[in-house]
Amino acid sequence: MLNELLSKSRALPWKIGDDVLPCRPTPLIMGIVNVTPDSFFDGGQHNTLDAAFNHAMKLLDESAVILDIGGESSRPGSTPVPVQEEIERVCPLVERLVAYAKQNPDRKFYISIDTVKSRVAAESMRLGAHIINDISALTMDPEMAKTVADTNASVVLNHIRGNFGTMQQDFTPYENVVKEVHDELMDQVLKLLALKVDPQRICLDPGIGFGKTAQDNIDLMKSVEDFLSEGYPVLIGSSRKSYIGKLKGLEDSDRLIPTVTAGIVAALGGASCIRVHDVKEAHESMLYLEAMNNGSV
């Protein structure tokens, strides 16, 4: 069974910028750059421009292909950030990374903006970012779908029920979490297609940890392949999330090893991209999978 999984990559291509990132035996790695004071894992560590840029360089050195910049924490119970404040957190880093990319054309990487606000997304795309990573899948800002279309951005539709403050306390329980998440994401895909967004630019994220129980998250992690049926690539973001600490025996875990394991599960399920804090560890686990896939060292 493992040999079959390793030998058949089901990851789907994803168009980012002018490039179509091809199917690979293991997922692309998206490294997280939080320019926030209150993100759940690394809040406050990179909330100056120099610190954030240096962290981004470190993630590139560790083999990140995409840098996901977030200026607003989405941890349960977090407080919304005003639009202008989020722009002031995110956009100087986008500008600096775009300038760096122009000076270093041989070092190919892509810039993603983790935001639910269309103005933040539009300004970031204007400056040269490539991806809008909307953890609300277009539901928190009625202008976001049009912004995706107008900017020709690639987009990650991340499933959520509720909002940042309520998503873990006030959401309708699922009868069949895999089917319901799939169907709700496809409803949002149709909004983009109606606006003539290139379907190759759309990526689906089942939203691990966003308005789900620990069991819901496990069920989704086991069902990555089910989200490939519509022909869209899948991104999985399970990195260091609190549900891991709700699993039996992992209450005191620092969640690193379970995060690496989740990345491997996502890879075997056909994910095209994994979003992680710990790029080095994720990359090494993918190299190990690739060695097994090659059958030789």
Side-chain angles (χ1 to χ4, degrees):
M1 179 64 175
L2 181 59
N3 286 338
E4 180 182 350
L5 289 171
L6 289 168
S7 64
K8 184 181 179 183
S9 174
R10 286 150 297 166
L12 298 174
W14 184 18
K15 188 173 185 179
I16 304 176
D18 295 327
D19 305 318
V20 177
L21 278 62
C23 302
R24 296 158 44 100
T26 57
L28 302 169
I29 296 177
M30 174 186 279
I32 299 168
V33 185
N34 285 321
V35 285
T36 59
D38 59 344
S39 291
F40 79 92
F41 177 64
D42 56 358
Q45 294 183 28
H46 315 122
N47 63 342
T48 68
L49 179 57
D50 285 345
F53 180 79
N54 290 338
H55 183 60
M57 292 298 102
K58 175 177 179 289
L59 297 182
L60 293 179
D61 289 342
E62 293 175 347
S63 297
V65 177
I66 304 169
L67 298 173
D68 191 42
I69 303 169
E72 178 177 51
S73 174
S74 58
R75 63 178 174 79
S78 60
T79 302
V81 174
V83 172
Q84 188 58 38
E85 183 176 346
E86 188 174 341
I87 287 173
E88 290 170 1
R89 290 179 180 181
V90 166
C91 288
L93 180 58
V94 173
E95 286 188 282
R96 191 160 172 181
L97 287 170
V98 169
Y100 175 83
K102 289 178 179 178
Q103 294 165 4
N104 298 271
D106 294 336
R107 195 173 198 187
K108 189 73 171 180
F109 65 94
Y110 304 91
I111 301 169
S112 170
I113 303 302
D114 178 356
T115 187
V116 298
K117 299 182 179 72
S118 60
R119 280 184 54 200
V120 177
E123 181 63 13
S124 298
M125 294 305 113
R126 185 187 70 80
L127 292 171
H130 307 92
I131 302 165
I132 299 170
N133 180 12
D134 182 356
I135 69 164
S136 79
L138 314 176
T139 64
M140 291 186 185
D141 185 332
E143 295 299 314
M144 186 63 93
K146 185 174 183 298
T147 297
V148 173
D150 289 348
T151 61
N152 201 32
S154 299
V155 62
V156 179
L157 298 178
N158 179 106
H159 182 272
I160 190 173
R161 280 187 178 173
N163 56 44
F164 299 164
T166 66
M167 62 183 172
Q168 288 307 109
Q169 291 81 35
D170 183 21
F171 65 90
T172 305
Y174 303 89
E175 293 184 10
N176 182 329
V177 67
V178 175
K179 182 179 186 304
E180 291 174 53
V181 170
H182 171 275
D183 291 351
E184 289 173 24
L185 284 175
M186 289 309 301
D187 287 343
Q188 302 308 100
V189 168
L190 292 176
K191 292 180 182 179
L192 294 177
L193 297 182
L195 294 171
K196 308 301 182 185
V197 171
D198 184 347
Q200 284 190 293
R201 293 192 179 278
I202 300 171
C203 182
L204 305 181
D205 181 342
I208 303 300
F210 290 98
K212 281 109 181 158
T213 65
Q215 185 61 58
D216 291 334
N217 293 320
I218 290 297
D219 290 344
L220 289 166
M221 287 297 307
K222 291 163 58 178
S223 305
V224 173
E225 189 172 5
D226 291 15
F227 289 87
L228 302 176
S229 61
E230 304 289 346
Y232 298 99
V234 171
L235 182 150
I236 293 294
S238 186
S239 184
R240 302 272 191 159
K241 289 190 173 176
S242 61
Y243 86 92
I244 294 171
K246 297 176 183 177
L247 304 179
K248 185 177 180 180
L250 295 178
E251 295 86 355
D252 298 323
S253 172
D254 67 2
R255 308 175 195 164
L256 172 57
I257 292 175
T259 292
V260 172
T261 305
I264 293 170
V265 171
L268 295 177
S272 292
C273 185
I274 54 174
R275 179 181 182 273
V276 298
H277 297 88
D278 306 286
V279 169
K280 178 177 181 291
E281 291 81 356
H283 178 61
E284 288 183 0
S285 71
M286 294 302 109
L287 290 177
Y288 186 84
L289 276 183
E290 290 176 13
M292 295 186 70
N293 183 42
N294 293 335
S296 63
V297 295

